[in-house]
Amino acid sequence: MHGLLGQAPNLRSFTLHPDVSGGKGAEGKERAVVRVDLRNHGNSPHSPVMTTDAMAGDLIHLMDRLGIETAVVLGHSLGGRIAMAAALC
């Protein structure tokens, strides 16, 4: 996930690297890369609430909607903080 004032395309070059997008996970399964815009960033809807817990909840909700049970979550700056908060949910 991107940092404060960023958006999903900021990590495009990283997510296109073959070790990230073309590799297999520890269990030999194909990996999918999902880049997201945090709330109030990029193409995400506006919300008056912009707390770390709310954005971690957004990530958990997205993973549930996509049927993702386990994931490696990468975040830069604010995105890293949200990734850590989501891990504690």
Side-chain angles (χ1 to χ4, degrees), residues 6 13 15 19 24 29-30 50 52 59 75-77 80-81 89:
S13 62
T15 59
D19 289 342
K24 294 184 183 286
K29 296 179 182 176
E30 292 290 326
M50 195 168 153
T52 301
L59 175 59
H76 166 73
S77 191
R81 182 176 179 158
C89 287

Side-chain angles (χ1 to χ4, degrees), residues 39 47 49-61 82 85 89:
R39 65 169 60 200
S47 172
V49 178
M50 195 168 153
T51 64
T52 301
D53 288 340
M55 290 187 275
D58 293 342
L59 175 59
I60 298 298
H61 178 73
I82 294 163
C89 287

